Amino acid sequence: MINLSSLTLSCEYQPFVDPHTLAIDGYEALARFYLPNGDAVAPNIVFEQLHESTELLAAVEYQAKAFQLAHAPSQQRIFINVDPHAVDGPHTAKLIKLLSQYQQITVEIIENTCISDAQLANQLFGQFKQANIQVALDDIGAPHSMLCVDLMMNVDYLKFDRHWLTHITHPEGVQLLIALINFAKQTNKQCILEGIETETQLAFARDIGVDLVQGFLFKSWFIRPTRSQTLCLA
């Protein structure tokens, strides 16, 4: 178990890149955590522990989003991840109030692996849309993930998981991805393909018609704030 109260909180901004022009078109803000000696702690480890307490999860998620928005690159579209379990019930209004202060904000919702998570994500979608906050469906096609038709029909962005890149040489997988991209184009949604690490994968993204890409091929363009803050669990 990690002593959560000893951690410091920061973030990282990873760009969305036009695969044709290589122009940056916004950033995704990702939480980062560090031990007192400066060593990084994998965010998934922190959040797995936080899921044991809804109140702690909500408190840390709010701090993370506030930090990410306060240090975000100016004049850029910002995407932030929201764990549906962290903003359920009384915590939703507080987060929406924070997000509503920023015009170029998009919330990424993960529907996860069970029907109750998908239903919760769908409820949150409606609340964000009522507040005029754009929504992206994250991790589409990730192993063990579900595919919620209602969310796919209603969100503004479709974010395809890096797992799709394992299907480059499999015609069936490629055709399924192309079909989803065509659906997005016909319904005025934008598509983002994650996990781009090579020029070959970038060329693939161009060929299938995604709007934006993201990945470690563009690591030199990642941004990290010079500041951090102590995690508050009170």
Side-chain angles (χ1 to χ4, degrees):
M1 296 285 286
I2 300 169
N3 180 5
L4 296 174
S5 62
S6 71
L7 298 180
T8 55
L9 166 71
S10 188
C11 64
E12 180 175 270
Y13 303 96
Q14 297 187 7
F16 298 117
V17 179
D18 185 313
H20 298 281
T21 66
L22 299 185
I24 293 176
D25 187 12
Y27 290 85
E28 178 181 5
L30 298 166
R32 294 291 181 260
F33 300 95
Y34 298 92
L35 295 169
N37 64 3
D39 289 346
V41 181
N44 64 298
I45 294 176
V46 175
F47 284 109
E48 284 173 9
Q49 188 168 328
L50 286 169
H51 268 84
E52 297 175 5
S53 168
T54 301
E55 291 301 320
L56 282 182
L57 177 62
V60 172
E61 272 279 71
Y62 185 86
Q63 289 174 67
K65 303 321 165 199
F67 186 94
Q68 291 163 12
L69 294 174
H71 297 85
S74 61
Q75 306 301 316
Q76 290 284 356
R77 197 162 33 161
I78 298 296
F79 284 54
I80 64 167
N81 295 281
V82 169
D83 185 326
H85 296 279
V87 290
D88 191 17
H91 306 291
T92 309
K94 183 179 180 181
L95 183 65
I96 287 179
K97 182 178 180 180
L98 171 69
L99 301 182
S100 297
Q101 300 174 37
Y102 298 84
Q103 293 184 346
Q104 299 189 73
I105 187 77
T106 298
V107 170
E108 296 185 18
I109 293 179
I110 301 174
E111 50 182 320
N112 288 321
T113 59
C114 67
I115 189 64
S116 61
D117 284 349
Q119 291 171 342
L120 177 56
N122 219 4
Q123 292 171 9
L124 285 172
F125 164 80
Q127 292 173 292
F128 286 127
K129 294 304 291 182
Q130 285 182 353
N132 294 316
I133 296 171
Q134 290 194 318
V135 181
L137 182 58
D138 197 15
D139 289 347
I140 297 172
H144 313 301
S145 69
M146 297 181 63
L147 193 64
C148 179
V149 174
D150 287 344
L151 278 172
M152 287 195 65
M153 288 193 300
N154 294 319
V155 296
D156 304 291
Y157 295 85
L158 301 181
K159 288 196 71 185
F160 295 103
D161 185 79
R162 67 181 63 242
H163 186 68
W164 288 98
L165 294 170
T166 65
H167 297 301
I168 287 180
T169 59
H170 299 86
E172 293 87 353
V174 173
Q175 289 305 313
L176 177 57
L177 180 55
I178 290 174
L180 292 173
I181 292 169
N182 288 336
F183 155 74
K185 291 181 183 299
Q186 293 168 13
T187 54
N188 298 313
K189 308 178 197 304
Q190 284 198 298
C191 295
I192 301 169
L193 179 59
E194 302 175 313
I196 301 298
E197 297 182 357
T198 68
E199 292 291 342
T200 298
Q201 293 172 342
L202 179 61
F204 171 74
R206 281 195 294 264
D207 290 343
I208 62 175
V210 296
D211 300 291
L212 299 168
V213 294
Q214 180 182 13
F216 279 91
L217 182 61
F218 312 103
K219 188 174 182 179
S220 63
W221 297 350
F222 291 6
I223 299 173
R224 287 190 177 182
T226 56
R227 299 177 58 189
S228 62
Q229 69 180 46
T230 303
L231 206 57
C232 179
L233 303 180

Coordinates of all heavy atoms in Angstrom, one line a residue, residues 113-175:
T113 N -16.0 -2.0 -17.8 CA -16.2 -3.4 -18.3 C -17.5 -4.0 -17.8 O -17.7 -5.2 -18.0 CB -15.0 -4.3 -17.8 OG1 -15.0 -4.2 -16.4 CG2 -13.7 -3.8 -18.4
C114 N -18.4 -3.3 -17.2 CA -19.6 -3.9 -16.8 C -20.8 -2.9 -17.1 O -20.6 -1.7 -17.3 CB -19.6 -4.2 -15.3 SG -19.6 -2.8 -14.2
I115 N -22.0 -3.5 -17.1 CA -23.2 -2.7 -17.5 C -23.5 -1.6 -16.6 O -23.9 -0.5 -17.0 CB -24.4 -3.6 -17.7 CG1 -25.5 -2.9 -18.3 CG2 -24.8 -4.2 -16.3 CD1 -25.3 -2.5 -19.8
S116 N -23.2 -1.7 -15.3 CA -23.5 -0.6 -14.4 C -22.6 0.6 -14.6 O -23.0 1.7 -14.5 CB -23.4 -1.1 -12.9 OG -22.0 -1.6 -12.7
D117 N -21.3 0.3 -15.0 CA -20.4 1.4 -15.3 C -20.8 2.1 -16.6 O -20.7 3.3 -16.7 CB -18.9 0.8 -15.5 CG -18.3 0.5 -14.2 OD1 -18.8 0.8 -13.2 OD2 -17.2 -0.2 -14.3
A118 N -21.3 1.3 -17.6 CA -21.8 2.0 -18.8 C -23.0 2.8 -18.5 O -23.1 3.9 -19.1 CB -22.1 0.9 -19.8
Q119 N -23.9 2.4 -17.7 CA -25.1 3.2 -17.3 C -24.7 4.4 -16.6 O -25.2 5.5 -16.8 CB -26.0 2.3 -16.5 CG -26.7 1.2 -17.3 CD -27.4 0.2 -16.4 OE1 -27.2 0.2 -15.2 NE2 -28.3 -0.6 -17.0
L120 N -23.7 4.3 -15.7 CA -23.2 5.5 -14.9 C -22.6 6.5 -15.9 O -22.8 7.7 -15.8 CB -22.2 5.1 -13.8 CG -21.6 6.2 -13.0 CD1 -22.6 7.1 -12.4 CD2 -20.7 5.6 -12.0
A121 N -21.8 6.0 -16.8 CA -21.1 6.9 -17.8 C -22.2 7.6 -18.6 O -22.0 8.8 -18.9 CB -20.2 6.1 -18.7
N122 N -23.2 6.9 -19.0 CA -24.3 7.5 -19.8 C -25.0 8.6 -19.0 O -25.4 9.7 -19.6 CB -25.3 6.4 -20.2 CG -25.7 6.6 -21.7 OD1 -25.3 7.5 -22.4 ND2 -26.7 5.8 -22.1
Q123 N -25.2 8.4 -17.7 CA -25.9 9.4 -16.9 C -25.0 10.7 -16.8 O -25.5 11.8 -16.9 CB -26.1 8.9 -15.5 CG -27.2 7.8 -15.4 CD -27.2 7.1 -14.1 OE1 -26.6 7.6 -13.1 NE2 -28.0 6.0 -14.0
L124 N -23.7 10.4 -16.6 CA -22.8 11.6 -16.6 C -22.7 12.3 -17.9 O -22.6 13.6 -17.9 CB -21.4 11.1 -16.2 CG -21.2 10.7 -14.7 CD1 -19.8 10.1 -14.5 CD2 -21.3 12.0 -13.8
F125 N -22.8 11.6 -19.0 CA -22.8 12.2 -20.3 C -23.9 13.3 -20.4 O -23.7 14.4 -20.8 CB -23.0 11.2 -21.4 CG -23.4 11.8 -22.7 CD1 -22.4 12.4 -23.5 CD2 -24.7 11.8 -23.1 CE1 -22.8 13.0 -24.7 CE2 -25.1 12.4 -24.3 CZ -24.1 13.0 -25.1
G126 N -25.1 12.9 -20.0 CA -26.2 13.8 -20.0 C -26.0 15.0 -19.2 O -26.3 16.2 -19.6
Q127 N -25.4 14.9 -18.0 CA -25.1 16.0 -17.1 C -24.1 17.0 -17.7 O -24.2 18.2 -17.6 CB -24.7 15.6 -15.8 CG -25.9 14.9 -15.0 CD -25.4 14.2 -13.7 OE1 -24.6 13.3 -13.7 NE2 -25.9 14.8 -12.6
F128 N -23.1 16.4 -18.3 CA -22.0 17.3 -18.9 C -22.6 18.0 -20.1 O -22.3 19.2 -20.3 CB -20.8 16.4 -19.4 CG -20.0 16.0 -18.2 CD1 -19.7 14.6 -18.0 CD2 -19.5 16.9 -17.3 CE1 -18.9 14.2 -17.0 CE2 -18.7 16.5 -16.2 CZ -18.4 15.1 -16.1
K129 N -23.4 17.3 -20.9 CA -24.0 18.0 -22.1 C -25.0 19.1 -21.7 O -25.0 20.1 -22.4 CB -24.7 17.0 -23.0 CG -23.8 15.9 -23.6 CD -22.7 16.5 -24.4 CE -23.2 17.2 -25.7 NZ -22.0 17.7 -26.5
Q130 N -25.7 18.9 -20.6 CA -26.6 20.0 -20.1 C -25.8 21.2 -19.7 O -26.2 22.4 -19.8 CB -27.4 19.5 -18.9 CG -28.5 18.6 -19.3 CD -29.3 18.1 -18.1 OE1 -29.0 18.4 -16.9 NE2 -30.4 17.4 -18.3
A131 N -24.5 21.0 -19.3 CA -23.6 22.1 -18.9 C -22.8 22.6 -20.1 O -21.9 23.4 -19.9 CB -22.7 21.7 -17.8
N132 N -23.2 22.2 -21.3 CA -22.5 22.6 -22.6 C -21.0 22.2 -22.6 O -20.1 22.9 -23.1 CB -22.6 24.1 -22.8 CG -24.1 24.5 -23.1 OD1 -24.8 23.8 -23.8 ND2 -24.5 25.5 -22.4
I133 N -20.7 21.0 -22.0 CA -19.3 20.5 -21.9 C -19.2 19.4 -22.9 O -20.0 18.4 -22.8 CB -18.9 20.0 -20.5 CG1 -18.9 21.2 -19.6 CG2 -17.6 19.4 -20.5 CD1 -18.7 20.8 -18.1
Q134 N -18.3 19.4 -23.9 CA -18.2 18.3 -24.8 C -17.6 17.1 -24.2 O -16.9 17.1 -23.2 CB -17.2 18.8 -26.0 CG -17.8 19.8 -26.9 CD -17.0 20.0 -28.2 OE1 -15.8 19.9 -28.2 NE2 -17.7 20.1 -29.3
V135 N -18.0 15.9 -24.8 CA -17.7 14.6 -24.2 C -17.0 13.7 -25.2 O -17.5 13.7 -26.4 CB -18.9 13.9 -23.6 CG1 -18.5 12.6 -23.0 CG2 -19.6 14.8 -22.6
A136 N -16.0 13.0 -24.8 CA -15.3 12.0 -25.7 C -15.5 10.7 -25.0 O -15.4 10.5 -23.8 CB -13.8 12.3 -25.9
L137 N -15.7 9.6 -25.8 CA -15.7 8.3 -25.3 C -14.3 7.7 -25.5 O -13.8 7.6 -26.6 CB -16.8 7.4 -26.1 CG -16.9 6.0 -25.6 CD1 -17.3 5.9 -24.1 CD2 -18.0 5.3 -26.4
D138 N -13.7 7.3 -24.3 CA -12.3 6.9 -24.3 C -12.1 5.4 -24.4 O -13.1 4.6 -24.0 CB -11.7 7.4 -23.0 CG -10.1 7.5 -23.1 OD1 -9.6 7.3 -24.2 OD2 -9.5 7.6 -22.1
D139 N -11.0 5.0 -24.9 CA -10.6 3.6 -24.9 C -11.5 2.6 -25.6 O -11.6 1.5 -25.3 CB -10.4 3.1 -23.4 CG -9.3 3.7 -22.7 OD1 -8.4 4.3 -23.3 OD2 -9.2 3.5 -21.4
I140 N -12.1 3.1 -26.7 CA -12.9 2.2 -27.6 C -12.0 1.1 -28.1 O -11.0 1.4 -28.8 CB -13.6 3.1 -28.7 CG1 -14.5 4.1 -28.1 CG2 -14.3 2.1 -29.6 CD1 -15.1 5.1 -29.1
G141 N -12.5 -0.1 -27.9 CA -11.7 -1.2 -28.5 C -10.6 -1.8 -27.6 O -9.9 -2.7 -28.0
A142 N -10.5 -1.2 -26.4 CA -9.5 -1.8 -25.5 C -9.9 -3.2 -25.1 O -11.0 -3.5 -25.0 CB -9.4 -0.9 -24.2
P143 N -8.9 -4.0 -24.8 CA -9.2 -5.4 -24.4 C -10.1 -5.4 -23.1 O -9.9 -4.6 -22.2 CB -7.8 -6.0 -24.0 CG -6.9 -5.2 -24.9 CD -7.4 -3.8 -25.0
H144 N -11.1 -6.2 -23.1 CA -12.0 -6.4 -22.0 C -13.0 -5.2 -21.8 O -13.7 -5.1 -20.8 CB -11.3 -6.6 -20.6 CG -10.2 -7.6 -20.7 ND1 -10.4 -8.9 -21.1 CD2 -8.8 -7.5 -20.5 CE1 -9.3 -9.6 -21.1 NE2 -8.3 -8.8 -20.8
S145 N -13.0 -4.2 -22.8 CA -13.9 -3.1 -22.6 C -15.2 -3.4 -23.3 O -15.3 -4.3 -24.1 CB -13.3 -1.8 -23.3 OG -13.2 -2.0 -24.7
M146 N -16.2 -2.7 -22.9 CA -17.6 -2.8 -23.5 C -17.7 -1.8 -24.7 O -16.8 -1.0 -24.9 CB -18.6 -2.6 -22.5 CG -18.7 -3.6 -21.3 SD -20.0 -3.2 -20.2 CE -21.5 -3.4 -21.2
L147 N -18.8 -1.9 -25.4 CA -19.1 -1.0 -26.4 C -20.5 -0.5 -26.2 O -21.5 -1.2 -26.6 CB -18.9 -1.6 -27.8 CG -18.9 -0.7 -29.0 CD1 -17.7 0.3 -28.9 CD2 -18.8 -1.4 -30.3
C148 N -20.7 0.7 -25.6 CA -22.0 1.2 -25.3 C -22.5 2.0 -26.5 O -22.0 3.0 -26.9 CB -22.0 2.1 -24.1 SG -23.6 2.8 -23.7
V149 N -23.6 1.4 -27.2 CA -24.1 2.1 -28.4 C -24.6 3.5 -28.1 O -24.4 4.4 -28.9 CB -25.2 1.2 -29.0 CG1 -25.8 1.9 -30.2 CG2 -24.6 -0.1 -29.5
D150 N -25.4 3.6 -27.0 CA -25.9 4.9 -26.7 C -24.8 6.0 -26.6 O -25.0 7.1 -27.1 CB -26.7 4.9 -25.4 CG -28.0 4.1 -25.5 OD1 -28.5 4.0 -26.7 OD2 -28.6 3.7 -24.5
L151 N -23.7 5.7 -25.9 CA -22.7 6.6 -25.7 C -22.0 6.9 -27.1 O -21.7 8.1 -27.4 CB -21.6 6.1 -24.8 CG -21.9 6.3 -23.3 CD1 -20.9 5.6 -22.4 CD2 -21.9 7.8 -22.9
M152 N -21.8 5.9 -27.9 CA -21.2 6.1 -29.2 C -22.0 7.1 -30.1 O -21.5 7.9 -30.8 CB -20.9 4.8 -29.9 CG -19.8 4.0 -29.3 SD -19.2 2.7 -30.4 CE -18.6 3.6 -31.8
M153 N -23.3 7.0 -29.9 CA -24.2 7.8 -30.7 C -24.2 9.2 -30.3 O -24.4 10.1 -31.1 CB -25.6 7.2 -30.7 CG -25.8 5.9 -31.5 SD -27.5 5.5 -31.8 CE -28.1 5.4 -30.1
N154 N -24.0 9.5 -29.0 CA -24.2 10.8 -28.5 C -23.0 11.7 -28.2 O -23.1 12.9 -28.0 CB -25.1 10.7 -27.2 CG -26.5 10.1 -27.5 OD1 -27.1 10.5 -28.4 ND2 -26.9 9.2 -26.6
V155 N -21.8 11.0 -28.0 CA -20.6 11.8 -27.7 C -20.1 12.6 -28.9 O -20.5 12.4 -30.0 CB -19.5 10.9 -27.1 CG1 -19.9 10.3 -25.8 CG2 -19.1 9.9 -28.2
D156 N -19.2 13.5 -28.6 CA -18.6 14.4 -29.6 C -17.4 13.9 -30.2 O -17.1 14.2 -31.4 CB -18.3 15.8 -29.0 CG -19.5 16.4 -28.3 OD1 -20.5 16.8 -29.0 OD2 -19.5 16.5 -27.1
Y157 N -16.6 13.0 -29.5 CA -15.4 12.5 -30.0 C -15.4 11.0 -29.7 O -15.9 10.5 -28.6 CB -14.2 13.1 -29.3 CG -14.0 14.5 -29.5 CD1 -14.6 15.5 -28.8 CD2 -13.1 15.0 -30.5 CE1 -14.4 16.9 -29.0 CE2 -12.9 16.3 -30.8 CZ -13.5 17.3 -30.0 OH -13.3 18.6 -30.2
L158 N -14.8 10.2 -30.6 CA -14.5 8.8 -30.4 C -13.0 8.6 -30.3 O -12.3 9.0 -31.2 CB -15.1 7.9 -31.5 CG -16.6 8.0 -31.8 CD1 -16.9 7.1 -32.9 CD2 -17.4 7.7 -30.5
K159 N -12.5 8.1 -29.1 CA -11.1 7.9 -28.9 C -10.8 6.3 -29.0 O -11.3 5.6 -28.2 CB -10.6 8.4 -27.6 CG -10.6 9.9 -27.6 CD -9.7 10.4 -26.4 CE -8.2 10.1 -26.6 NZ -7.4 10.5 -25.4
F160 N -10.1 6.0 -30.0 CA -9.8 4.5 -30.2 C -8.5 4.1 -29.5 O -7.5 4.7 -29.7 CB -9.7 4.3 -31.7 CG -11.0 4.5 -32.5 CD1 -11.2 5.6 -33.2 CD2 -12.0 3.6 -32.4 CE1 -12.4 5.9 -33.9 CE2 -13.2 3.8 -33.0 CZ -13.4 5.0 -33.8
D161 N -8.6 3.0 -28.8 CA -7.5 2.5 -28.0 C -6.4 2.0 -28.9 O -6.6 1.6 -30.0 CB -8.0 1.4 -27.1 CG -7.0 0.8 -26.2 OD1 -6.7 1.5 -25.1 OD2 -6.4 -0.2 -26.5
R162 N -5.2 2.1 -28.3 CA -4.0 1.6 -29.1 C -4.1 0.2 -29.5 O -3.4 -0.2 -30.5 CB -2.7 1.8 -28.2 CG -2.7 0.9 -27.0 CD -1.5 1.1 -26.1 NE -1.4 2.4 -25.6 CZ -0.5 3.3 -25.8 NH1 0.5 3.0 -26.6 NH2 -0.5 4.5 -25.3
H163 N -5.0 -0.6 -28.9 CA -5.1 -2.0 -29.3 C -5.5 -2.2 -30.8 O -5.1 -3.2 -31.4 CB -6.2 -2.7 -28.4 CG -6.3 -4.1 -28.6 ND1 -5.3 -5.0 -28.2 CD2 -7.3 -4.9 -29.2 CE1 -5.7 -6.3 -28.6 NE2 -6.9 -6.2 -29.1
W164 N -6.1 -1.2 -31.4 CA -6.5 -1.3 -32.8 C -5.2 -1.4 -33.7 O -5.3 -2.0 -34.8 CB -7.3 -0.1 -33.2 CG -8.7 0.0 -32.7 CD1 -9.1 0.6 -31.6 CD2 -9.8 -0.7 -33.2 NE1 -10.5 0.4 -31.4 CE2 -10.9 -0.4 -32.4 CE3 -10.0 -1.6 -34.3 CZ2 -12.2 -0.9 -32.6 CZ3 -11.3 -2.1 -34.5 CH2 -12.3 -1.8 -33.7
L165 N -4.1 -0.9 -33.2 CA -2.9 -0.9 -34.0 C -2.3 -2.3 -34.1 O -1.5 -2.6 -35.0 CB -1.8 0.0 -33.4 CG -2.2 1.5 -33.4 CD1 -1.2 2.3 -32.6 CD2 -2.3 2.0 -34.9
T166 N -2.8 -3.2 -33.3 CA -2.4 -4.6 -33.4 C -3.1 -5.3 -34.6 O -2.8 -6.4 -34.9 CB -2.6 -5.4 -32.1 OG1 -4.0 -5.5 -31.9 CG2 -2.0 -4.7 -30.9
H167 N -4.1 -4.6 -35.1 CA -4.9 -5.2 -36.2 C -4.5 -4.7 -37.6 O -5.2 -4.9 -38.6 CB -6.4 -5.0 -36.0 CG -6.9 -5.6 -34.7 ND1 -6.9 -7.0 -34.5 CD2 -7.5 -5.0 -33.6 CE1 -7.5 -7.2 -33.4 NE2 -7.8 -6.1 -32.8
I168 N -3.4 -4.0 -37.7 CA -3.0 -3.4 -38.9 C -2.9 -4.4 -40.0 O -3.2 -4.1 -41.2 CB -1.6 -2.6 -38.8 CG1 -1.9 -1.3 -38.0 CG2 -1.0 -2.3 -40.1 CD1 -0.6 -0.5 -37.8
T169 N -2.4 -5.6 -39.7 CA -2.3 -6.7 -40.7 C -3.5 -7.6 -40.8 O -3.4 -8.6 -41.5 CB -1.0 -7.5 -40.4 OG1 -1.1 -8.0 -39.1 CG2 0.2 -6.6 -40.5
H170 N -4.5 -7.3 -40.1 CA -5.7 -8.1 -40.1 C -6.9 -7.4 -40.8 O -7.4 -6.4 -40.2 CB -6.1 -8.5 -38.7 CG -5.1 -9.3 -37.9 ND1 -4.1 -8.7 -37.2 CD2 -4.9 -10.6 -37.8 CE1 -3.3 -9.6 -36.7 NE2 -3.8 -10.8 -37.0
P171 N -7.2 -7.8 -42.0 CA -8.3 -7.0 -42.7 C -9.6 -6.8 -42.0 O -10.2 -5.7 -42.1 CB -8.5 -7.9 -44.0 CG -7.2 -8.6 -44.1 CD -6.7 -8.9 -42.7
E172 N -10.0 -7.8 -41.2 CA -11.3 -7.7 -40.6 C -11.3 -6.6 -39.5 O -12.2 -5.8 -39.4 CB -11.7 -9.0 -39.9 CG -12.0 -10.1 -40.8 CD -10.7 -10.9 -41.2 OE1 -9.6 -10.5 -40.8 OE2 -10.9 -11.9 -41.9
G173 N -10.1 -6.5 -38.7 CA -10.0 -5.5 -37.7 C -9.9 -4.1 -38.4 O -10.6 -3.1 -37.9
V174 N -9.2 -4.0 -39.5 CA -9.1 -2.7 -40.1 C -10.4 -2.2 -40.7 O -10.8 -1.1 -40.5 CB -8.0 -2.8 -41.3 CG1 -8.0 -1.5 -42.1 CG2 -6.6 -3.0 -40.7
Q175 N -11.2 -3.1 -41.3 CA -12.5 -2.8 -41.8 C -13.5 -2.4 -40.8 O -14.3 -1.5 -40.9 CB -13.1 -4.0 -42.6 CG -12.3 -4.2 -44.0 CD -12.3 -3.0 -44.8 OE1 -13.3 -2.3 -45.0 NE2 -11.1 -2.6 -45.4

